[in-house]
Each structure stands twice: as C-alpha cells, then as structure tokens.
Amino acid sequence: MPDRDWDFVSLELDVAIDLEDRSLTGRAVHRLRPLGVASEVVLHAADLDIVSVTVDGAAVEAWRSLGDRLVVPVAVGPGERSVEVRYTARPTAGMYFRGPPGDAVREVWTQGEDEENRHWFPGWDYPNDRFTVRTAVTVPDGLVAVANGALVSKAPGRAAGTTRWEYALETPIVNYLVAIAAGEYRVVVEPGTPTLEHVVPVGTSDATVERSTRETRSMLDYLARLLGTPYPWTVYRQVYVQRFLYGGMENATTTVLADDYLLRDPVLDRYNADFVLAHEIAHQWFGDLVGVYGWRDLWLNEGFATYYGNRW
Ligand SMILES: [Zn+2]
C-alpha cells in the first residue's frame, strides 16, 4: 500500500440512485491538503464514467484514467484544494441492488471493506487516511435512505418524485466505512444517548424488531463502561438488508446486518444474532474510532472486536 501525498480532510458525496436501472449519478467533492510536493491527486475509481473534474472550481481537462485510478493534475503548492468529480456509474461491486421477484422489498446498499467503495464514488480507498463525510442520497419518494452520521436534511430531490436525504458525520473516518442504504424500510427509533435506529424492511413487526434489537443499548453501554470511552457518535443505526455478503459490517454509526438476524420467530436461538450485533458494536471503537494504517493489520480490528464482542 502506498503512503500518502495528500491529507484528505472532507468528502462531500451526492448520489442519485436509479434502483430499476441499477445505476447512479454522483458528485464527489474532496477537500485535501498536500503533505509534501505533489503535482497530482490520485483517486480510486472503478466502474465510474467521469463526466467532469474541477480543482478549486476550475475545469480540468487533463485528468487521466489509469486502471482503477483517476489522476488529476494540480498546481504544486501549499494550501487546501477542492477536487470535484461528477460521474455516473453502474457498479459491479461495492453497491448491491435487491428487489422483487427474488427479494421481498426494493433496496440498495453498499459494502466498502476493503477496496470496493471505489466502484460507486471516487476516493482515497486505503485505510491510512481519515476525513469527515457528508452524504446526500436521492431516491424515489417512499423509500428511506440512510448514511453515516445524523440526518441533517430531507427535501424534494431535483427530479420529480424523488427525495434527497442528507447525512453528516463530523468525526473523521476511513474510506471503507463510508456507506449508504436505501429501500422500502421502516425505521424504529429508540431515543437516548446515542439515539438508536433500527432500519428494517417494511412489514417487519414491532415484536420482531424488539426481539432482534433488544440488547443493543445494553451492549453499547457495557462496552462504553468497559473501555472507559463513550460511544463516539450521536446515533447508532442497524440496517437489516437482504442477501448481505457477510453477517454484518461495522460502517461508522450505520452497521449493516444480514436479515438472517431478524428474529422473526420467538423460538429462534438468539445467541448467534447477539454475537454479531455485539461484534459490530465493538467495531465502532475498534476499526471505526481507532483503526489500522494498512490492510495487513486488519486482524487487530477483528481481534479486538471479537474479544470485546464476546465480553458482552
Ligand atoms: Zn468484524
């Protein structure tokens, strides 16, 4: 893994998703500072059709696509830059579409770890840099969209019949933890510190939500006490999705879980589900709040999350 030429400070992401077409239109704005002498910015971008690139508001024509890298020339010099990329994409990885007839509800969700987020937005797709994230997701009216952090606005989208959901996370995170999900969901909110949001397919009963998520608060409180460090964010969200690739994924504030862990039947053994919930919650500290510099150290995230998840 290469070291860095730039310090990525913030990412502003604005994506409009067409669930039927399984495609998206996006705009990503990175603010970044040079760490040394750098004449170009390298962003990872796969499956992306680049529409335009600007640096500090000025159009750049000389950008190059090299494999899964987008190379943007910039004037050498100190000071913060703003690199904006407009693009369209039909992702072959990183973003997954689900819906009838094979699935109960229409939805789209993402899975970044480890280097898959480059398939739906251009970014620095290594774990050795952290930046704040502001994410807007535009989807058809009637769907619910979530992303890292707290909801800051919900307004009509540019196209008729769409809604734009905007979220912000002010604490910096690494690229693979950036995530969105949108679909025919209902959101069950548990007020408190942090606010809990259980995001489930429409039609999921209150009893199922309660049964599946009832230990969440106790897990968060227990780990905060044990670690002597409060849960880092104001919201913790668990999104149950269809045909997930794994058991769960600890995206900062917005864990994605396989819907196998929705305990629809009271006689189901809850041990496996609670094990996964606690593991992903432990990752909010180990992997999300603090993390590793390179992929070879990923076992540290997993080791601590496995240990502390089991402590609960
Ligand atoms: Zn894990």
Side-chain angles (χ1 to χ4, degrees):
M1 186 177 65
D3 213 332
R4 311 178 286 153
D5 292 326
W6 297 87
D7 176 21
F8 285 74
V9 176
S10 68
L11 167 63
E12 205 183 298
L13 197 54
D14 204 332
V15 295
I17 303 178
D18 184 333
L19 282 84
E20 270 61 53
D21 193 46
R22 303 188 166 215
S23 65
L24 69 136
T25 303
R27 171 178 174 267
V29 181
H30 288 280
R31 284 196 301 122
L32 62 176
R33 291 190 205 103
L35 292 170
V37 177
S39 59
E40 54 189 32
V41 174
V42 174
L43 299 172
H44 299 101
D47 296 337
L48 308 186
D49 288 317
I50 308 300
V51 175
S52 68
V53 178
T54 68
V55 175
D56 295 330
V60 174
E61 305 298 344
W63 58 267
R64 311 190 301 284
S65 238
L66 295 174
D68 62 355
R69 288 178 306 153
L70 170 64
V71 180
V72 181
V74 295
V76 173
E80 194 170 283
R81 316 293 164 74
S82 168
V83 177
E84 180 206 59
V85 181
R86 289 176 185 269
Y87 61 98
T88 61
R90 185 170 275 109
T92 59
M95 176 177 275
Y96 300 87
F97 295 86
R98 302 290 188 246
D103 305 294
V105 300
R106 271 193 308 156
E107 70 176 342
V108 54
W109 44 264
T110 64
Q111 166 62 31
E113 192 178 15
D114 43 15
E115 297 183 353
E116 308 282 58
N117 271 344
R118 64 186 63 183
H119 292 270
W120 65 278
F121 69 87
W124 182 250
D125 210 3
Y126 291 128
N128 63 356
D129 201 356
R130 295 172 167 268
F131 43 86
T132 60
V133 186
R134 202 174 177 94
T135 313
V137 184
T138 302
V139 288
D141 292 343
L143 302 192
V144 170
V146 295
N148 307 93
L151 181 67
V152 290
S153 75
K154 181 185 165 192
R158 197 168 295 180
T162 64
T163 303
R164 182 175 180 272
W165 304 67
E166 188 176 12
Y167 290 82
L169 186 68
E170 305 302 343
T171 314
I173 57 170
V174 297
N175 202 66
Y176 76 80
L177 294 171
V178 175
I180 62 172
E184 294 168 304
Y185 295 144
R186 63 177 290 224
V187 182
V188 178
V189 178
E190 266 185 63
T193 307
T195 303
L196 302 184
E197 290 183 15
H198 310 302
V199 183
V200 296
V202 288
T204 308
S205 72
D206 286 341
T208 294
V209 175
E210 196 280 329
R211 192 182 302 124
S212 310
T213 63
R214 71 166 66 126
E215 303 297 344
T216 308
R217 176 80 65 199
S218 116
M219 291 169 179
L220 283 159
D221 289 349
Y222 174 78
L223 286 173
R225 252 193 337 271
L226 185 63
L227 297 167
T229 305
Y231 172 76
W233 296 290
T234 57
V235 60
Y236 183 63
R237 190 176 285 125
Q238 295 172 131
V239 189
Y240 290 84
V241 307
Q242 302 163 117
R243 288 190 287 130
F244 192 46
L245 308 175
Y246 313 106
M249 176 63 210
E250 67 272 18
N251 311 302
T253 72
T254 303
T255 286
V256 171
L257 294 162
D259 64 355
D260 308 347
Y261 299 121
L262 271 179
L263 304 174
R264 293 190 167 98
D265 186 331
V267 303
L268 283 174
D269 179 2
R270 59 178 312 114
Y271 174 78
N272 281 333
D274 280 346
F275 173 82
V276 174
L277 263 57
H279 178 89
E280 306 310 339
I281 287 172
H283 267 308
Q284 299 296 315
W285 282 267
F286 298 103
D288 294 7
L289 178 62
V290 297
V292 297
Y293 196 77
W295 296 124
R296 69 180 179 185
D297 299 324
L298 210 55
W299 66 274
L300 284 167
N301 288 356
E302 292 309 325
F304 280 114
T306 301
Y307 173 73
Y308 281 103
N310 274 303
R311 282 291 296 267
W312 181 85

